[in-house]
Every structure is written in C-alpha cells, then in structure tokens.
Amino acid sequence: LGLWLIGARGGVAVTAIAGIIAQRLGLADGTALVSELPQFAHLPLVKWDDIVIGGHEIRSAPLADELERLHRESRVLSPQLVAACRPELEKIDAEIRPGTLWNVGPKITELADFHPPRNPQEQLPRDMIKRLQADLTDFQTRHKLDSVVVLNVASTEPLPNPALWPATWAEAEASLGRPECPLPASSLYAIAALELGLPFVNFTPSLGALPAGIDELARLRNTCHAGRDGKTGETLMKSVLAPMFAARNLKVMSWVGHNIFGNLDGKVLDDPANKQAKIQSKDRLITEILGYAPQTLISIEHIESLGDWKTAWDHIHFQGFLGTPMTLQFTWQGCDSILAAPLALDLVRFVSLAKNRGETGALPWLASFFKSPQGDPPAKFADQFRALESWARTLS
Ligand code: NAI
C-alpha cells in the first residue's frame, strides 16, 4: 500500500512515519492504535512492513531534521527511535514532491520554500491537479502499488464561504478551469486523489472532500473518503462528557475551552482566518449532542515555549436539581503529534480496507476519529465507536 502524505514534513506526518518505523522494528507496542484492539484483530489490515511512503509539501526541511527538532523541542521520542528512523527518512525525502498553494491564504504561503519548477502552463487549478496526479501515478507505478491512500495532514487553511462550495461534480469540475475557483489546496488534493480512484482522508479542518460535488466525484469513481479534523484531545473529551450531562438531565449553561500550545500548527492557527476553521470544527459538537445551545467560548493561543505540548482547560457550568449551579473543570495535557499520529495510521488502515471492499463516498462509521465527521453519523463518542465495531463485525 502507498501512503501519500499531504504536509509530509509536518509534526503529525513525521510522527506517523516514526510510528510506522517503530512498529516495524519492534520498538513500540500497539498502545494508542485503535486498529490494534482485539475487536479488529480479524481484519485483513495492511501490515506496517507493506507501507511505502511519499507525499506533497511546501517546505524543504529534511524529514530527519524535522523529527529531531520535534524530539529536541518537545522531548517526545527516545533517542534510539530518532536514530533508527534516520536512514528510512532519508529515503522518504526523495519521494516528496512540491505541493500547491492555491487559496491557502497568506499565513501558509509564508511558510513555503519548496516550489515546483516554474511552468507557465500551470496557471489554473486543473493544471495543478494534473501535476499532482502525475506525481501520484509515478509513485504508484514505480513501487508497483495496488493502491495509495492520500492523507491530508497539512496546515489548516481558511475555509471558503459555504455559498461557494460546489454542490455537484459538474459545478466543481467547471470551476477548476477558472482563475476565480474558490476551492482551496486541500480540495485540489482531494480531487486529484479521487479522480484517480484513490481514497482520501482529511485529518484537518480544511475543506478537502467536504463539498457535495467532491463527494459525488468519489462515488462516480467508486472510491471513498473520510474526514474532517482528527478528534485527539479536548473535543474527544467533549464528545464523551456532553452525553453524560444529557443522560443525567443536567442543564449545561456554558462550556468554555482555552487551548494553549506552541508548535507550527499553533503558529498557523494564530492567524484569525485559519483559526476560525478550527474553532468552527471544535464548537458544533456540544449543541448537537445536548439539543440546545449553551453559551460556548473556545480560545486557541500560540505559546511558543510549550512546543508540541498542548494544555486545554475546560470550564463547564451546569445546573442541577432545584436550579443549583455547579461546575466541572478539567485540564488535558497532551502531546499533539503523539495523540494524532496513531489515529492517522488507524484511518489509513481502515480506509484502505474499505476501498478494497468497494465502499464508496464518505465513511460515517469512522466518525469516532473526527471532530466534524462527514456522512451524517451520530455525535456521541460511544455511538460512533459502536458503529466502528459493527462495521468490523460485518467483516467476520
Ligand atoms: P504542522 O504545521 O507541523 O504540519 C503541517 C505541514 O503541512 C507543514 O510541514 C507545512 O509545510 C505543510 N503544508 C502546509 N500547506 C501545505 C500545502 N498546501 N501542501 C502541502 N503541504 C502543506 O501541523 P501538524 O501539527 O502536523 O498538524 C497537521 C494538521 O492536522 C493541521 O491542520 C492540524 O490542525 C491537524 N490536526 C492536528 C491534530 C493534532 O496534532 N493533535 C489534531 C487534529 C487535527
């Protein structure tokens, strides 16, 4: 299987690569990998040794340097693992191609120092998609891969106005030939993959394959997609705790979440346009689960010294019997990439199996992995996880 990472030199991507290498070398057990739970043991999931890695990027920093920086700044990986990864990372560097910056906004454009050779023919999104597809096809052919899963772990883009999202594939396709095409890079990557019949996973809050017109493309090409925005920390807690308040008939009056962290993702989210996409993705859940809208506030602040370590402090003000107000507070201190990478790998394994089984369109049984799951699944974590287990049971 090919794993094609969009944002291949980012924190989640390099940690996922290190995770694959650690599994291959027996340097780590299956802790935090959902796909390693006993209820999925019977599934013919891809083996770690059988994954070939490549990707698109807009920064040129060598992968080994990125992994070392993560290790140095955030003290997450053992020096033994960092050293063991170096030779493999050098090989993967040669498989990384320049991506596209179409409609990514100024904050992401600022990061870029890895560009395709200047090509006057490449002016419109359709031309860019052709280049991205040529990279994917070349990767698949050279390594004789049956399939490739395209995983978007690139920086969060500003979301375009929903009124401009294409409702049909015909509409999306026509807009690719126009300079005013509103779709962002994440959607161009999604289209590039799906048109080739390859599955696409969007681990970010960016638009990706969310518009109905792009979902239609997936169905037309008999392939599948999953998204959006990995549910790794604070939102995971929300999707577990909000159902508890609902089940005890406790009235949540307000839910405030403050997030502070210091990695590159946090730097990009410091821009109000990029931050808005993340906040929207984090905020919709509580109202959906409770069935009413308490006052909510979410803040995301970049505090450089914290590196990849994120602290979320949530303050939940609720009303009990006889109108008595009470408070639940929690702090979640997690290492962002270490939380995200195993979920990204689980998604690659599950989605590749779904593709082999002929599943098409959005995959709602993967909702437990996402903050804003596509395909109209239930909002409560327990229901979402049951859906994953039921899907697995149908394969026994
Ligand atoms: P990062 O900032 O370390 O990595 C993003 C990478 O994407 C960078 O190397 C950047 O150069 C690259 N990139 C940006 N635009 C690109 C484009 N148009 N084409 C190709 N590459 C591009 O961020 P990190 O921490 O790895 O997170 C990745 C994404 O996953 C972010 O969107 C984040 O919001 C999302 N995410 C992360 C979670 C976590 O770390 N716990 C949880 C849920 C989502």
Side-chain angles (χ1 to χ4, degrees):
L1 178 79
L3 166 56
W4 191 263
L5 297 157
I6 311 295
R9 303 189 203 278
V12 176
V14 291
T15 310
I17 298 172
I20 292 174
I21 298 171
Q23 294 294 322
R24 280 182 195 161
L25 298 176
L27 293 174
D29 63 15
T31 305
L33 285 160
V34 176
S35 56
E36 294 287 318
L37 282 169
Q39 52 272 54
F40 308 113
H42 64 287
L43 300 178
L45 297 171
V46 66
K47 307 257 182 310
W48 305 112
D49 280 329
D50 297 338
I51 300 179
V52 183
I53 302 166
H56 281 120
E57 242 304 340
I58 55 158
R59 291 185 307 124
S60 60
L63 282 171
D65 292 1
E66 289 297 287
L67 188 69
E68 217 155 286
R69 187 174 56 80
L70 200 71
H71 166 65
R72 197 178 53 246
E73 289 175 4
S74 303
R75 304 167 305 280
V76 286
L77 305 171
S78 72
Q80 189 198 7
L81 177 57
V82 175
C85 287
R86 190 167 269 280
E88 186 66 22
L89 294 179
E90 283 165 5
K91 270 194 242 154
I92 300 171
D93 269 325
E95 299 287 353
I96 298 179
R97 302 283 174 267
T100 172
L101 290 165
W102 188 262
N103 283 341
V104 295
K107 194 73 190 181
I108 295 178
T109 306
E110 249 169 48
L111 301 175
D113 66 359
F114 187 53
H115 302 282
R118 252 191 70 73
N119 175 3
Q121 306 302 323
E122 189 178 301
Q123 301 284 341
L124 297 168
R126 179 39 87 194
D127 310 321
M128 292 163 195
I129 289 175
K130 270 195 203 141
R131 174 171 58 81
L132 304 175
Q133 287 178 329
D135 294 337
L136 280 164
T137 309
D138 170 63
F139 175 68
Q140 192 169 1
T141 318
R142 272 189 298 109
H143 294 284
K144 301 188 178 63
L145 303 166
D146 294 340
S147 186
V148 178
V149 175
V150 176
L151 172 68
N152 181 24
V153 280
S155 315
T156 303
E157 302 158 346
L159 278 176
N161 179 346
L164 302 174
W165 301 359
T168 62
W169 170 234
E171 196 188 313
E173 197 174 21
S175 85
L176 298 177
R178 296 193 203 109
E180 64 277 10
C181 173
L183 294 171
S186 60
S187 297
L188 305 196
Y189 289 119
I191 292 171
L194 298 171
E195 257 192 333
L196 295 176
L198 305 177
F200 175 79
V201 180
N202 187 6
F203 201 78
T204 81
S206 304
L207 192 64
L210 180 61
I214 304 181
D215 177 65
E216 185 188 339
L217 169 65
R219 291 169 200 276
L220 287 169
R221 298 299 149 101
N222 288 320
T223 190
C224 50
H225 63 96
R228 290 183 301 136
D229 201 7
K231 185 157 66 189
T232 50
E234 191 209 13
T235 317
L236 174 65
M237 291 293 288
K238 281 180 176 167
S239 70
V240 171
L241 286 176
M244 177 196 76
F245 286 106
R248 283 283 196 248
N249 203 6
L250 297 167
K251 186 172 176 224
V252 177
M253 297 182 289
S254 63
W255 195 312
V256 176
H258 291 296
N259 297 267
I260 50 173
F261 61 123
N263 58 20
L264 184 63
D265 183 32
K267 207 170 188 168
V268 170
L269 293 176
D270 229 18
D271 186 292
N274 304 60
K275 189 185 292 191
Q276 197 46 35
K278 193 71 165 186
I279 286 181
Q280 265 182 29
S281 180
K282 276 174 157 294
D283 201 25
R284 33 169 292 291
L285 189 75
I286 289 175
T287 303
E288 211 174 308
I289 294 177
L290 297 175
Y292 55 88
Q295 184 181 0
T296 57
L297 180 109
I298 294 172
S299 72
I300 303 175
E301 302 300 337
H302 182 244
I303 304 295
E304 191 135 17
S305 71
L306 294 177
D308 209 30
W309 288 89
K310 181 189 277 175
T311 296
W313 166 57
D314 277 43
H315 182 286
I316 306 145
H317 197 205
F318 64 98
Q319 205 177 59
F321 198 40
L322 309 178
T324 308
M326 302 178 218
T327 302
L328 166 70
Q329 296 180 50
F330 70 81
T331 51
W332 170 277
Q333 286 179 294
C335 179
D336 238 13
S337 308
I338 293 288
L339 288 165
L343 300 185
L345 294 176
D346 289 327
L347 283 163
V348 169
R349 297 178 104 190
F350 287 132
V351 167
S352 131
L353 179 55
K355 163 70 182 143
N356 291 345
R357 297 181 67 228
E359 296 188 33
T360 61
L363 302 172
W365 47 268
L366 285 171
S368 63
F369 290 93
F370 295 112
K371 290 190 190 72
S372 303
Q374 289 173 234
D376 210 18
K380 299 176 187 167
F381 182 77
D383 296 341
Q384 295 175 340
F385 191 65
R386 255 194 302 279
L388 178 64
E389 291 178 312
S390 312
W391 170 82
R393 267 198 301 276
T394 63
L395 273 83
S396 51

